[in-house]
Amino acid sequence: MSQPVHALFLVSAPDQPGLVARLASFFYAAGLNIVDASNHTDVHAEGGARFFMRLVVDLAGLSTPAASSALRGSATRGALEAAFGELATSLSAQWSVRYSDVVQRAAVLVTKDPACLYDIVLRQRSGELPCEIPLIISNHPTLEPVAESFRIPFVCLPVTPETKADQEKRVLELTAQHHIDLVILARYMQVLTSGFLDHAPPVINIHHGFLPAFQGARPYHQAHARGVKLIGATAHYATKDLDQGPIIEQDVARVTHAMGPDELTRVGRDVERVVLSRAVRAHLERRVIVEGRRTIVL
Amino acid sequence: MSQPVHALFLVSAPDQPGLVARLASFFYAAGLNIVDASNHTDVHAEGGARFFMRLVVDLAGLSTPAASSALRGSATRGALEAAFGELATSLSAQWSVRYSDVVQRAAVLVTKDPACLYDIVLRQRSGELPCEIPLIISNHPTLEPVAESFRIPFVCLPVTPETKADQEKRVLELTAQHHIDLVILARYMQVLTSGFLDHAPPVINIHHGFLPAFQGARPYHQAHARGVKLIGATAHYATKDLDQGPIIEQDVARVTHAMGPDELTRVGRDVERVVLSRAVRAHLERRVIVEGRRTIVL
Amino acid sequence: MSQPVHALFLVSAPDQPGLVARLASFFYAAGLNIVDASNHTDVHAEGGARFFMRLVVDLAGLSTPAASSALRGSATRGALEAAFGELATSLSAQWSVRYSDVVQRAAVLVTKDPACLYDIVLRQRSGELPCEIPLIISNHPTLEPVAESFRIPFVCLPVTPETKADQEKRVLELTAQHHIDLVILARYMQVLTSGFLDHAPPVINIHHGFLPAFQGARPYHQAHARGVKLIGATAHYATKDLDQGPIIEQDVARVTHAMGPDELTRVGRDVERVVLSRAVRAHLERRVIVEGRRTIVL
Amino acid sequence: MSQPVHALFLVSAPDQPGLVARLASFFYAAGLNIVDASNHTDVHAEGGARFFMRLVVDLAGLSTPAASSALRGSATRGALEAAFGELATSLSAQWSVRYSDVVQRAAVLVTKDPACLYDIVLRQRSGELPCEIPLIISNHPTLEPVAESFRIPFVCLPVTPETKADQEKRVLELTAQHHIDLVILARYMQVLTSGFLDHAPPVINIHHGFLPAFQGARPYHQAHARGVKLIGATAHYATKDLDQGPIIEQDVARVTHAMGPDELTRVGRDVERVVLSRAVRAHLERRVIVEGRRTIVL
């Protein structure tokens, strides 16, 4: 039996009566079954209450007469999108759609730390992260053997202050060439410029601190100096403001006075990996909507 | 400005296409705004996939012409329930509704431990638990002063093996007399018979162990003997099978070899209180549906 | 059977060979049994590695010939302290001692929030916090009935910018008069001046944020605006630098995008209470040593 | 600068006055510095209160005249052990010692799941697990390429009910041949006989459930059926009673009604890996003492 094919819709609109009914009825009228739905109304949003919804629709119904009739005789993905677009416009909604049979493609950017890279690749191989990883880029050659052991193309692009602009341009070219949908910074020890971020696909970064505490460099040393009793990690979308991007996921682990910076680093590494993978998975499953500086994770 | 009045619907039905659309459209057609909705489809349910939905509806629309027309001229709660009942029948759905302006009434059953009782009453007073507490029943006189300091009627009903049947009958009479909607066992050290449970309102119990581990008596001593590294607490609906009722909420705390049974009890007490209050709150907010031995918490 | 009487020693010294042996042998030679001991060497301390030790000694041996002979014929607490002081001097150590039969006295400072006050008093009553609470001070009359229900003297000292100096002076007089050993700020909504802190007993504050994130006012609103996925609370010694004092204990709870500031406040309140009580208990059990901006919790 | 060489002593004795003093003084007299020490007295132990201590001693002092004189002219590890053994006998103590320059050797037993194997090997490579891994044994050929990518010898020993005795004998031969100090069951899907366990080095197993709940097979399916709100993992020493061995480490993760058995498996896998690696590390650092059915983790 072949896997059912799903369309994943993400919708964001000014709150108004009947939103759930009108969105759900659209698919019902077209004979398309909603297999999963969740929504949230943020009454604290700037500019008034805002409605967010994630809908997972089984496309099996697209070949039925109901769909054909509802979509004016043309039961295609294009027709579905066109019809949904009309509804969205009438609701002043922003929306996007992805299809489960179009596998997303992620590039992993690394420097020298193998832990996060192994973790991401192994989770992808085990089916936990629904994507392909056709490209690993690093500013150091250290991790080439790891990439090779998984037979993933590895491109080494060293960077200096002078070559940074060129290097970022080259990264952009590679992501375009490989049709990359998502960039994962798996302990990539370079700050990305806003020039890069403006043209790149979404970028998820893992920060090894409990943001907004411990921004900037060497967060575990900061944490040790401050004597905190918990350390954390934060996965967020990279934005031009360093360590200020919308947070997707966070977690912490308990530490004691007896642990020096090295021990904090070791404990923190476990938190980082779990947090990053949860954030990447949520993104790939189309659960995350950015709203200002916050994320809605449906 | 007066608080808006809400109707909270809980629906459970065999999974079928168009459920969200039909439920949402029912309220939309009647001019009633859905202010919060969540649903879940349990594909592992016995007897086939089952759909669960919680809908919070603003009743302000009940006085509009749309409601009047949709409800056949009689825009009352009764008419709303009748019309919804028809829809539910057509979907083979089970359902219930409560209104936010009809405050639920909880009775607390205790023995000698003041911690859980204080916690429940203080949370109710602070607005965290949306209910009234018009009655405290105990099989010991110990906690009468606590009840008194909060001016809550306290009934002492001692129990022996010989008087158990009579005592339970008396508890049932009291809960009926006081129109009790929920019974909270806040460390009530008596097993309830199925005769009692068959006639009582829903009963939530806090078990001071991580069920299904450590069923029965003295779970912290069991936990100590087994040398576990975490201890927990479990809030569940009481059923005739002791410690087997559907679990509403659980949590744990980390412990070490250095802690004896007394210390485990102390640490556990904090977990118990938080877990019990979360479960009671979820129940009062109409978030919990029992499905076989499991709960859906929407 | 009467409870055994213990002496609790806290020692801090520059690291040097033989410290454990010399400290332990001191008590062994005096016939005094060590019932609990723990130590830590902070190799990252400023000014070189530093050794910390907590020793709990059974004073039953003080009436034996061994003690008498080791303490030069005078087996009193004074003689014990004098002899230990000589050893400490030879090790360049700082130290302090308390006796388990001298109950510590804590004053609770509050404003209007009853939750933390109830929690502290109930834990003290249940034996979880080894202290007396002979005094509650507030800048508002709101909580007087709570104090009264527990029969604890309540002093209302309102404060305005003009009267702040006088009010703090009055608080100091009261703590001196009542022989207060510890001041607990249980949601006391006033900043204490360094003039006050210089003359007061140790002061433990609960901050409703995960320090060093969210310093200052309205941390839950800050947390909501930043979109964090965990919120926390921090118990620390109050110092003249607001929210910068040495951290004794922290914890967090998971939150979601669906929770507004009110919900964060509610969830956070549970964390605050548990964190504050753990910190107060650790302090009362003489487990906490302040070392610069950090604490060692033995 | 070469790394200092440490001796790690673990001692267990009936509680008696002066234990800390006598143990610490032994090393002090021999000019050997104690760099880390921790102890615990279990007053609930069967057969009376029992004392446990872990001492980490810097062996640099072994070449000094003090050591030579204290150890009767022969400042060797053998002489140290002989002298300590005399002290231990006088205290009716059990004890063991290991040296930090004698690297322990662990064999990993696996079946088909790569996650735990990768995790163990990567942590060992990163220095987090202080051991060598000279041998991977499996009852299936699936993971040979993983072993190969890390250049670790891989032995495939298939097993059927008929060949079980022979296969276990072969595993014992291999562990003896490779001087294995610790066997790690990294999702090895075979029950080990007591015949095997009687002759094998210590064996640490990871059970994918929160023991003592969910013993036996398919714990995540059991957890789903019971509707628990947290799932866990337990690392324990393997004993002849399946899933009954002394627990070294446990942890949990929060789950919801929305997660089916597959999702529980995925979430649980993260917990398993962290729990297993913490347990293995504690064992390798000589922090774990087994006392009846419990462990003391110093």
Side-chain angles (χ1 to χ4, degrees), chain D residues 1 19 27 32 58 87 89 95 102-103 127 152 175 177 192 198 213 263 268:
Chain D
M1 194 189 76
L19 275 171
F27 295 107
L32 299 171
D58 190 335
L87 171 61
T89 301
W95 66 284
V102 181
V103 181
I152 302 174
T175 56
Q177 226 172 292
L192 298 172
D198 285 349
E263 186 91 355

Side-chain angles (χ1 to χ4, degrees), chain D residues 1-294:
Chain D
M1 194 189 76
S2 64
Q3 195 77 359
V5 179
H6 294 153
L8 295 91
F9 284 85
L10 276 183
V11 185
S12 152
D15 195 30
Q16 54 198 288
L19 275 171
V20 173
R22 291 178 68 183
L23 291 166
S25 297
F26 170 83
F27 295 107
Y28 185 45
L32 299 171
N33 200 19
I34 297 170
V35 295
D36 198 13
S38 50
N39 59 281
H40 168 66
T41 304
D42 184 359
V43 296
H44 303 276
E46 283 181 44
R50 197 156 179 91
F51 171 89
F52 303 92
M53 191 163 193
R54 176 180 184 262
L55 295 127
V56 183
V57 178
D58 190 335
L59 289 184
L62 210 54
S63 55
T64 61
S68 183
S69 128
L71 301 174
R72 295 166 206 161
S74 161
T76 62
R77 293 180 187 192
L80 177 65
E81 292 177 21
F84 191 84
E86 281 175 34
L87 171 61
T89 301
S90 75
L91 302 172
S92 307
Q94 296 180 310
W95 66 284
S96 64
V97 64
R98 271 198 176 269
Y99 301 95
S100 64
D101 58 356
V102 181
V103 181
Q104 292 172 79
R105 298 165 64 85
V108 185
L109 267 62
V110 297
T111 296
K112 289 178 175 174
D113 179 358
C116 263
L117 176 59
Y118 264 113
D119 197 66
I120 290 288
V121 174
L122 289 172
R123 288 176 196 270
Q124 185 264 334
R125 295 281 156 107
S126 77
E128 185 178 324
L129 299 179
C131 66
E132 289 167 1
I133 299 179
L135 181 62
I136 295 171
I137 300 175
S138 180
N139 55 329
H140 275 272
T142 318
L143 298 178
E144 182 152 20
V146 177
E148 217 159 73
S149 78
F150 290 108
R151 299 172 186 281
I152 302 174
F154 178 92
V155 181
C156 183
L157 297 174
V159 59
T160 64
E162 293 73 39
T163 64
K164 188 168 186 94
D166 283 351
Q167 195 253 16
E168 287 196 340
K169 211 180 130 208
R170 185 78 190 100
V171 174
L172 280 181
E173 285 167 8
L174 282 167
T175 56
Q177 226 172 292
H178 286 79
H179 303 284
I180 297 301
D181 301 295
L182 173 67
V183 173
I184 303 170
L185 305 184
R187 306 298 305 271
Y188 180 63
M189 308 309 276
Q190 291 290 320
V191 176
L192 298 172
T193 66
S194 67
F196 177 87
L197 291 167
D198 285 349
H199 297 91
V203 176
I204 295 179
N205 182 41
I206 181 72
H207 179 80
H208 44 313
F210 184 81
L211 290 176
F214 309 127
Q215 302 180 22
R218 292 167 55 93
Y220 293 130
H221 288 77
Q222 291 183 50
H224 183 260
R226 186 61 186 91
V228 293
K229 303 301 183 187
L230 298 166
I231 57 165
T234 304
H236 62 92
Y237 288 113
T239 59
K240 65 183 164 50
D241 301 311
L242 187 64
D243 299 337
Q244 295 286 329
I247 295 169
I248 308 169
E249 173 66 347
Q250 301 188 288
D251 214 336
V252 294
R254 185 159 284 270
V255 296
T256 76
H257 64 262
M259 300 176 176
D262 287 356
E263 186 91 355
L264 297 190
T265 303
R266 192 181 60 68
V267 170
R269 216 154 39 191
D270 277 342
V271 183
E272 286 164 32
R273 277 181 271 187
V274 171
V275 165
L276 177 58
S277 72
R278 280 193 211 138
V280 168
R281 182 174 160 94
H283 175 90
L284 291 171
E285 293 182 342
R286 311 284 296 158
R287 297 188 178 280
V288 191
I289 306 181
V290 173
E291 168 67 9
R293 292 181 65 205
R294 310 172 68 231

Side-chain angles (χ1 to χ4, degrees), chain A residues 93-204:
Chain A
Q94 296 180 309
W95 67 284
S96 65
V97 65
R98 272 199 175 267
Y99 301 95
S100 64
D101 58 355
V102 181
V103 181
Q104 294 172 77
R105 296 165 65 85
V108 184
L109 268 61
V110 296
T111 297
K112 289 177 175 176
D113 180 358
C116 263
L117 175 60
Y118 263 113
D119 197 66
I120 290 287
V121 175
L122 289 171
R123 288 176 196 270
Q124 184 264 336
R125 295 282 156 107
S126 76
E128 184 179 324
L129 299 179
C131 66
E132 289 168 0
I133 299 179
L135 181 62
I136 295 171
I137 300 175
S138 179
N139 55 331
H140 275 273
T142 317
L143 298 177
E144 181 152 22
V146 177
E148 215 158 76
S149 78
F150 291 107
R151 299 173 187 280
I152 303 175
F154 179 92
V155 182
C156 183
L157 298 174
V159 59
T160 64
E162 293 74 40
T163 64
K164 189 171 187 91
D166 283 350
Q167 194 252 18
E168 286 196 341
K169 210 180 131 208
R170 186 79 191 100
V171 175
L172 280 181
E173 286 167 7
L174 283 167
T175 57
Q177 226 171 290
H178 286 79
H179 304 283
I180 296 301
D181 300 294
L182 173 68
V183 173
I184 302 169
L185 305 184
R187 304 301 304 272
Y188 180 62
M189 307 310 276
Q190 291 290 321
V191 176
L192 298 172
T193 66
S194 66
F196 177 88
L197 291 167
D198 286 348
H199 297 91
V203 177
I204 295 180

Side-chain angles (χ1 to χ4, degrees), chain C residues 48-125:
Chain C
R50 196 155 182 92
F51 172 88
F52 304 92
M53 190 164 196
R54 176 179 182 262
L55 295 127
V56 183
V57 177
D58 190 334
L59 290 184
L62 210 52
S63 55
T64 62
S68 182
S69 129
L71 301 174
R72 295 165 205 161
S74 161
T76 62
R77 293 181 186 192
L80 177 65
E81 292 178 21
F84 191 84
E86 280 175 36
L87 171 62
T89 301
S90 75
L91 302 171
S92 308
Q94 296 179 311
W95 66 285
S96 64
V97 64
R98 273 197 176 268
Y99 301 95
S100 65
D101 58 355
V102 181
V103 181
Q104 291 172 78
R105 297 165 64 85
V108 185
L109 268 61
V110 297
T111 296
K112 289 178 174 175
D113 179 358
C116 263
L117 175 59
Y118 264 113
D119 197 66
I120 290 288
V121 175
L122 289 171
R123 287 176 196 269
Q124 183 264 335
R125 294 282 155 107

Side-chain angles (χ1 to χ4, degrees), chain B residues 72-142:
Chain B
R72 296 168 205 158
S74 161
T76 62
R77 294 180 186 191
L80 177 65
E81 292 178 21
F84 191 84
E86 281 175 35
L87 171 62
T89 302
S90 75
L91 302 171
S92 307
Q94 295 180 310
W95 66 284
S96 64
V97 65
R98 274 200 175 267
Y99 301 95
S100 64
D101 57 355
V102 181
V103 181
Q104 292 173 78
R105 297 165 65 83
V108 185
L109 268 60
V110 296
T111 296
K112 289 179 175 175
D113 180 358
C116 263
L117 176 59
Y118 264 113
D119 197 65
I120 289 287
V121 174
L122 289 171
R123 287 176 195 270
Q124 184 265 335
R125 295 282 156 106
S126 76
E128 184 179 324
L129 299 178
C131 67
E132 289 168 1
I133 300 178
L135 181 63
I136 295 170
I137 299 174
S138 179
N139 55 330
H140 275 273
T142 318

Side-chain angles (χ1 to χ4, degrees), chain B residues 36-184:
Chain B
D36 198 12
S38 51
N39 59 282
H40 168 65
T41 304
D42 184 0
V43 296
H44 303 276
E46 283 181 43
R50 196 155 180 92
F51 172 89
F52 304 92
M53 190 163 196
R54 177 180 182 261
L55 296 127
V56 183
V57 177
D58 189 334
L59 289 185
L62 210 52
S63 55
T64 61
S68 183
S69 129
L71 301 174
R72 296 168 205 158
S74 161
T76 62
R77 294 180 186 191
L80 177 65
E81 292 178 21
F84 191 84
E86 281 175 35
L87 171 62
T89 302
S90 75
L91 302 171
S92 307
Q94 295 180 310
W95 66 284
S96 64
V97 65
R98 274 200 175 267
Y99 301 95
S100 64
D101 57 355
V102 181
V103 181
Q104 292 173 78
R105 297 165 65 83
V108 185
L109 268 60
V110 296
T111 296
K112 289 179 175 175
D113 180 358
C116 263
L117 176 59
Y118 264 113
D119 197 65
I120 289 287
V121 174
L122 289 171
R123 287 176 195 270
Q124 184 265 335
R125 295 282 156 106
S126 76
E128 184 179 324
L129 299 178
C131 67
E132 289 168 1
I133 300 178
L135 181 63
I136 295 170
I137 299 174
S138 179
N139 55 330
H140 275 273
T142 318
L143 298 176
E144 182 151 20
V146 176
E148 217 158 74
S149 78
F150 290 108
R151 299 173 187 280
I152 302 175
F154 178 92
V155 181
C156 182
L157 298 174
V159 58
T160 64
E162 294 74 38
T163 63
K164 187 169 187 95
D166 283 351
Q167 195 252 16
E168 286 195 341
K169 211 180 128 207
R170 186 77 192 103
V171 175
L172 279 181
E173 286 167 8
L174 283 166
T175 57
Q177 227 171 289
H178 285 79
H179 304 283
I180 297 301
D181 301 293
L182 173 68
V183 173
I184 303 169

